[in-house]
Amino acid sequence: MTTKGENPPFRHPLPDAPGRDVIADWFCLHRVAITALCVFAAALTFFGSLLYPGLGGVLNSGDSAKFQVLGHTSILVHGPGYPLVLMLGTVVRFLSLPVPDWWAMTFALSAIPGSIAITFAFLIVERLTQSIAFGLAGAIWLASASLMAVQATEAEVYALTLAFILGTSFLLILFVQTRRLNFFLAACAVYSLSFGNHLMMIMLVPMFLIVTLIHYRIVLRWRPVAIVLGFILLGASQYLYLAYIAYSPDTAYSEYMPLPPATVMELIHYILGTYFSDLYGSGMQSTLTLEALLTTFRSAYPGLSLPLVIVGVLLFFAGWTRRDIAWRGLAVIYGTGLSFVPFALWYGAYDIQAFHLPVLGPFLVASVATIGWWLRDRKLAFTVLTAAALVAGLVRAGQTAMILSEREPAFAGVRSAVEELVRQSPVENPIIAMSYGVRMATLYYELRGEVPTTPTYRVHWRAIALVEDQPSVGGIVVPAEGYQFVRWIEEKRPDMTCRTQELRQSEDAAWPAYSFECHSQATSPSAPGNSPG
């Protein structure tokens, strides 16, 4: 028997009624599951129809283009390696769908997981408020939040990360509400699968430890412990697939690690992402990471999302005196979002907003659910709030759709631009130094054989190594803003004299470039003016 305001662990079958339609009864009993399927279909239609229209994206065009390469060619991306994403790329290539490779990979990597995340958002809010309509409002609010919508329509790993986070949270909510061990084991299974997506998922370990300590009589028995250890091993074994890809002769490209890796430690360092070690902890050295996180909360729903989260958190703490099984479920989802706050503040890439989705998603879902839970016994207020939340969500969804539909492909002309630049090369086999985004877009076409293969394409900070110990070097530079590659050469090789020339391109060219030739001489480097200013 439940106390006033408590959620029953499970809904009971409808009582027998003479002449009642069997099909209608079935739909009533399964209305939450049916609605969840409809939510998934609607979200998939929403995100699928608004995919970024080409290579790259607005948040991190280079990383997005690189992930899209997996739709055509097996490569190694940056650490921690993302073996689950590599497997997804293998499936996409195997299916060989009659759509562009970049579209197929974006749809598989972001739109589908994003829709799964929205479905779990519905299930969580519905479970905690006992209202399908309010669950729909929670799903719409998350789907139309700006960062969520972008991540679900551009090739990145964070929509998939959020799907794992909300899926794990939902199963943990069911466990703390019902104390049924199978839900805890299912949460561990989903969580272990997430190991292959992003190592930031390690931040959920304290949450699992807290749940385990509270329910130690249920969990800490030899059989459940053995099953959980098995799940951990299966999750970690995904990195064996990463090793297989690293040593496979079919792997065409690796950004940070030689193919094949020379030693096992080299592979381990790649998985740990040690080449990003300068970012580890640097976020705590200033307030920039906190300011960026607050900006993410403000921009999700301008003027609404940050106050919503603040009100939700305050109501959650105010609800301590009336805590029921729904409140315990809210504690799980808030705890999940809070688990990722240290990572968002500690990691120094404050300018990469995508890192904030594992914090924003759970807090937004939890806040909507908290407000619904607080008012669910006040029928009139709850009805008005539900209607207002649905209307606001649908309006914001329309605004978000308009914004997403206005995006234009960042690299629409890069293929023809590269071909034209190569034609003007001052040497036969040029080095072409590029900004990161242009390099990843060129890599896509390079591996498809759609741009000249004689040049050596490099990101500018890796191209500098090609001039070491060379008597002469020449090529083309497509610079990032404020960057001059030839100046690097002159600083690294003061024995070289360099000459540069701006290359001819169409008036609307998006990537101005210049050619360069550097020769080792006994004289001093070229006078100022030979290098582009």
Side-chain angles (χ1 to χ4, degrees), residues 307-509:
L308 173 80
V309 171
I310 293 173
V311 170
V313 171
L314 291 176
L315 289 178
F316 170 74
F317 283 109
W320 170 263
T321 56
R322 53 172 287 190
R323 58 190 182 277
D324 53 17
I325 60 173
W327 187 91
R328 294 196 292 271
L330 289 170
V332 170
I333 189 68
Y334 275 118
T336 299
L338 188 62
S339 297
F340 290 95
V341 171
F343 181 88
L345 298 180
W346 173 80
Y347 194 68
Y350 67 90
D351 57 332
I352 302 180
Q353 195 181 20
F355 285 115
H356 301 158
L357 189 60
V359 179
L360 173 68
F363 268 100
L364 195 60
V365 170
S367 299
V368 172
T370 302
I371 295 172
W373 165 73
W374 191 266
L375 293 177
R376 71 182 179 194
D377 292 334
R378 301 169 176 84
K379 294 189 180 300
L380 178 60
F382 185 79
T383 301
V384 172
L385 177 66
T386 302
L390 285 169
V391 171
L394 290 172
V395 170
R396 177 60 177 170
Q399 294 173 341
T400 301
M402 291 181 61
I403 294 171
L404 295 180
S405 64
E406 292 174 354
R407 292 175 299 179
E408 296 182 357
F411 306 113
V414 71
R415 180 172 50 180
S416 58
V418 168
E419 291 176 346
E420 176 60 30
L421 294 177
V422 172
R423 277 195 290 269
Q424 301 179 57
S425 171
V427 295
E428 186 175 350
N429 296 307
I431 297 169
I432 301 186
M434 299 172 151
S435 60
Y436 178 63
V438 177
R439 170 64 185 124
M440 293 301 106
T442 304
L443 175 67
Y444 178 89
Y445 293 115
E446 180 187 7
L447 294 176
R448 289 176 57 89
E450 297 178 359
V451 292
T453 57
T454 51
T456 301
Y457 301 100
R458 287 289 186 275
V459 177
H460 49 72
W461 64 80
R462 296 196 178 279
I464 194 69
L466 299 177
V467 309
E468 294 179 347
D469 304 322
Q470 298 294 321
S472 62
V473 64
I476 299 166
V477 176
V478 184
E481 184 178 356
Y483 168 76
Q484 300 299 342
F485 179 69
V486 172
R487 288 180 179 172
W488 277 26
I489 297 178
E490 292 174 337
E491 181 179 346
K492 189 175 184 67
R493 293 286 303 275
D495 61 309
M496 276 190 164
T497 299
C498 299
R499 299 183 63 83
T500 64
Q501 180 178 343
E502 186 175 352
L503 296 181
R504 299 185 308 275
Q505 291 178 279
S506 60
E507 292 182 0
D508 58 347

Side-chain angles (χ1 to χ4, degrees), residues 116 120 124 160-175 183-195 201 204 207-208 211 332-333 336 340:
I116 294 173
F120 277 119
I124 290 170
L160 181 56
T161 301
L162 187 61
F164 280 121
I165 290 170
L166 294 183
T168 301
S169 300
F170 177 64
L171 292 167
L172 285 177
I173 288 170
L174 293 179
F175 171 66
F183 288 131
F184 180 81
L185 296 178
C188 291
V190 172
Y191 180 55
S192 66
L193 184 61
S194 74
F195 297 170
M201 293 298 293
L204 267 184
M207 188 68 193
F208 272 93
V211 172
V332 170
I333 189 68
T336 299
F340 290 95

